[in-house]
């Protein structure tokens, strides 16, 4: 599916992203109505429900399922944050994150060559396990940056792109993305997808990625934690 087609079908885009994100993390997936869900087995041990611009009725059903357990999350793809924030309030849910964005790229614009490190103190290691491609940059035994990618059909879904605090502002985020893209090109990929933090959006925009939707994360929890960070 081309990037242009995916942007015109946000629900289809969401399905692909959840499949890839769950693949990256080894999560079991299910569905609630016409929308996907994933069991966050490594963090909360609870379900996260997803929807793109649900109707008021669909939102009510998903909100009720989410409210059953405080650790459950409802993630909404929408560019109307005000509407769904108000619906969340009406259904007893709290906004735990509204700063993320879903981003997409035409993989033809990305570098297909294995990148190289200009710093001799750093080394790159790549691997693959159960369909997940990994990239790590280390300084000796110390992890400096890492990330992973999982291919769903012709779409590469990138996840957990992390630069450790002591190694930030050295271009390692861009390097990890290039290393993962090179691995993704072992498959016949057309598009790339990822969920980006506010800081990440600046990096990915510089690399040619485009925002297609804002992301609103909701839960019944009152502890105030930012669930986008887990």
């Amino acid at each position: 599916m081309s990037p242009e087609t995916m942007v015109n079908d946000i629900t289809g885009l969401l399905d692909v992203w959840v499949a890839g994100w769950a693949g990256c993390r080894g999560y079991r997936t299910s569905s609630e109505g016409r929308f996907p869900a994933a069991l966050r087995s490594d963090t909360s041990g609870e379900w996260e429900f997803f929807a793109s611009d649900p109707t008021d009725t669909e939102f009510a059903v998903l909100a009720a399922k989410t409210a059953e357990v405080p650790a459950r999350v409802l993630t909404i793809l929408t560019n109307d944050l005000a509407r769904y924030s108000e619906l969340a309030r009406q259904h007893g849910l709290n906004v735990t994150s509204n700063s993320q964005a879903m981003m997409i790229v035409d993989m033809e614009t990305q570098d297909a060559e294995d990148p190289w490190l200009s710093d001799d103190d750093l080394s790159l290691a790549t691997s693959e396990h159960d369909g997940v491609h990994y990239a790590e940059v280390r300084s000796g035994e110390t992890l400096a940056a890492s990330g992973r990618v999982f291919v769903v059909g012709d779409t590469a879904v990138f996840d957990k792109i992390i630069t450790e605090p002591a190694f930030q502002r050295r271009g390692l985020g861009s390097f990890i993305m290039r290393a993962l893209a090179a691995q993704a090109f072992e498959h016949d990929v057309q598009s790339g997808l990822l969920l980006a933090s506010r800081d990440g959006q600046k990096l990915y925009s510089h690399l040619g990625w485009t925002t297609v939707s804002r992301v609103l994360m909701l839960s019944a929890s009152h502890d105030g934690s930012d669930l986008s960070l887990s």
Side-chain angles (χ1 to χ4, degrees):
M1 187 184 299
S2 70
E4 293 79 8
T5 301
M6 295 181 75
V7 168
N8 292 325
D9 178 16
I10 301 298
T11 299
L13 179 151
L14 176 62
D15 287 340
V16 171
W17 177 81
V18 171
W21 174 77
C24 277
R25 301 188 180 205
Y27 292 162
R28 179 161 65 92
T29 59
S30 184
S31 60
E32 189 65 36
R34 66 187 179 98
F35 296 118
L39 183 62
R40 300 194 66 151
S41 54
D42 61 340
T43 54
S44 66
E46 271 297 337
W47 288 95
E48 181 169 354
F49 304 103
F50 301 86
S52 58
D53 287 315
T55 65
D56 287 8
T57 300
E58 289 173 329
F59 185 94
V61 171
L62 292 167
K65 293 287 292 185
T66 303
E68 290 175 359
V69 182
R72 288 183 178 174
V73 179
L74 173 56
T75 296
I76 304 292
L77 263 64
T78 183
N79 288 311
D80 191 349
L81 296 180
R83 175 191 175 192
Y84 290 102
S85 295
E86 174 58 23
L87 280 174
R89 187 192 65 77
Q90 293 174 16
H91 290 277
L93 298 181
N94 303 303
V95 175
T96 65
S97 173
N98 62 5
S99 61
Q100 294 189 99
M102 182 75 75
M103 303 187 75
I104 192 169
V105 75
D106 183 342
M107 290 298 290
E108 288 188 357
T109 68
Q110 302 299 290
D111 192 346
E113 299 297 324
D114 290 320
W116 58 277
L117 285 161
S118 58
D119 190 333
D120 292 338
D121 293 334
L122 300 175
S123 61
L124 169 68
T126 60
S127 60
E128 183 272 334
H129 181 69
D130 289 341
V132 185
H133 296 274
Y134 300 87
E136 291 185 347
V137 172
R138 290 184 176 270
S139 175
E141 295 299 316
T142 303
L143 182 64
S146 59
R148 58 188 71 176
V149 64
F150 187 89
V151 175
V152 179
D154 59 8
T155 303
V157 179
F158 296 76
D159 185 40
K160 285 186 172 290
I161 312 301
I162 298 170
T163 301
E164 301 302 325
F167 295 91
Q168 290 177 356
R169 302 194 180 281
R170 295 171 61 176
L172 293 183
S174 298
F175 180 87
I176 286 290
M177 289 297 292
R178 292 197 300 271
L180 292 172
Q183 293 185 79
F185 278 116
E186 296 174 10
H187 309 265
D188 185 15
V189 292
Q190 292 189 35
S191 305
L193 278 178
L194 55 72
L195 210 65
S197 66
R198 184 175 284 115
D199 287 341
Q201 290 163 43
K202 299 175 185 177
L203 166 65
Y204 305 128
S205 294
H206 179 71
L207 297 177
W209 292 67
T210 302
T211 296
V212 293
S213 178
R214 299 288 301 279
V215 178
L216 189 66
M217 298 183 74
L218 311 168
S219 81
S221 173
H222 292 278
D223 67 6
S225 60
D226 186 348
L227 298 176
S228 69
L229 302 178
S230 59

